[in-house]
Amino acid sequence: MSLIKLMVKGISYSHSQNGAYALILDEVEGQRKLPIVIGAFEAQSIAIAIEEEIKPPRPLTHDLFKTFAERFEIQLKQVIIHKLVDGVFFSTIICERLGVEEMMDARTSDAIALAIRFGAPIFTYKDIMEQAGIILSGEDAQENSQEDDVDDIVAQVEQIIEEDTKVDDYSGFNEKQLNILLNEAIENEDYERAAKLRDELNKR
C-alpha cells in the first residue's frame, strides 16, 4: 500500500467549545489536509517545536526523549500514521540504532512532536487520507496565506464540533465529519457522545 508524505501545516491556538486543538497536516503532493484533534499539552509541545526561537526554561518530555535517544545513538527515522479506528489515529515510529531498525507504537500527537524535533518525515496511507482528508472549500483556498489556511481549516473543524453539540442525530454527517467528531470526543473524554458517534459510524 502506497504511502503519502505529510508535513505539519500548523496548529490552532484557538479553543473550540470543548477546549480541543486541531493539528493540521498537509499532503506534500496534493491539496488535502489531515486535521487531527489533540490535547493541550501535546499542542503546546508541537507549537514549541515548530517555533524554533521559543526555548522553554526546562526540557519538555519530548525534548528529554530526544536528548535521551541521541545520547544512546538512537535516531528516529520516520513516523507512519497507519490506522484510523473509531476516529482515533494510530501511529508507528521507526527508530534505528547501530544499523538495526525498531518499530514502536505511539500516540499520533507524541509521534509528530518527536518527528518535528528529529526532522523525520511523516507518512500516512492512501486509504486513511481518503477517509479523513479534507480540501478547503472556496475557490480562493490556494491563494490564502499559511496562517489563514490553518485558520480556515480549524474554523471548519470547530464549526463541525459546534454543530455537533446541538444535535443528537448524527445521520446528516458524512464519515469524515463523524471521524473528526469522534476523535475530538475521545480526546475530551466525552465517552457518551463518543459512543453515539461510534454507533453511527458502525451503521455506515
Side-chain angles (χ1 to χ4, degrees):
M1 192 178 297
S2 60
L3 288 171
I4 294 175
K5 189 173 184 179
L6 304 170
M7 63 177 292
V8 177
K9 181 71 173 181
I11 191 167
S12 73
Y13 293 91
S14 60
H15 291 275
S16 71
Q17 286 190 345
N18 294 294
Y21 289 81
L23 170 67
I24 311 301
L25 301 177
D26 254 359
E27 184 179 18
V28 172
E29 296 183 359
Q31 297 181 344
R32 289 175 294 184
K33 324 287 181 185
L34 189 65
I36 301 176
V37 177
I38 62 176
F41 171 77
E42 292 80 8
Q44 179 190 50
S45 182
I46 291 171
I48 287 174
I50 293 172
E51 302 293 337
E52 296 181 356
E53 65 272 14
I54 299 176
K55 299 293 182 182
R58 302 293 294 158
L60 301 178
T61 303
H62 298 114
D63 298 318
L64 176 61
F65 183 96
K66 181 174 186 290
T67 300
F68 179 89
E70 290 178 338
R71 186 68 56 87
F72 290 93
E73 300 181 357
I74 300 170
Q75 283 296 315
L76 195 157
K77 305 298 291 185
Q78 62 181 346
V79 166
I80 301 177
I81 304 171
H82 64 88
K83 187 166 62 173
L84 176 60
V85 178
D86 291 341
V88 179
F89 293 92
F90 291 76
S91 293
T92 297
I93 58 176
I94 300 176
C95 300
E96 181 181 326
R97 181 176 185 271
L98 302 178
V100 178
E101 284 193 353
E102 297 284 350
M103 300 175 64
M104 291 180 285
D105 183 39
R107 294 192 308 169
T108 298
S109 53
D110 290 328
I112 291 173
L114 291 172
I116 297 171
R117 286 166 167 81
F118 279 90
I122 303 166
F123 298 95
T124 192
Y125 290 111
K126 181 179 178 181
D127 62 331
I128 293 178
M129 205 64 187
E130 289 176 349
Q131 186 178 353
I134 63 173
I135 296 178
L136 280 180
S137 58
E139 298 179 357
D140 300 327
Q142 294 184 359
E143 299 179 4
N144 290 347
S145 68
Q146 176 169 325
E147 183 177 352
D148 291 340
D149 197 12
V150 173
D151 289 344
D152 285 344
I153 299 168
V154 171
Q156 288 184 24
V157 174
E158 291 185 347
Q159 182 179 4
I160 293 170
I161 293 171
E162 183 178 355
E163 290 173 355
D164 168 55
T165 62
K166 302 175 182 177
V167 299
D168 290 322
D169 180 11
Y170 298 102
S171 60
F173 292 85
N174 62 40
E175 289 190 26
K176 290 181 181 179
Q177 292 171 329
L178 289 171
N179 277 306
I180 291 172
L181 293 171
L182 183 54
N183 191 21
E184 185 268 343
I186 292 171
E187 284 286 345
N188 287 282
E189 300 182 357
D190 187 349
Y191 298 117
E192 181 179 355
R193 184 160 63 98
K196 293 179 182 178
L197 290 159
R198 185 192 61 238
D199 290 344
E200 183 63 36
L201 277 166
N202 289 337
K203 294 177 184 177
R204 305 301 173 93

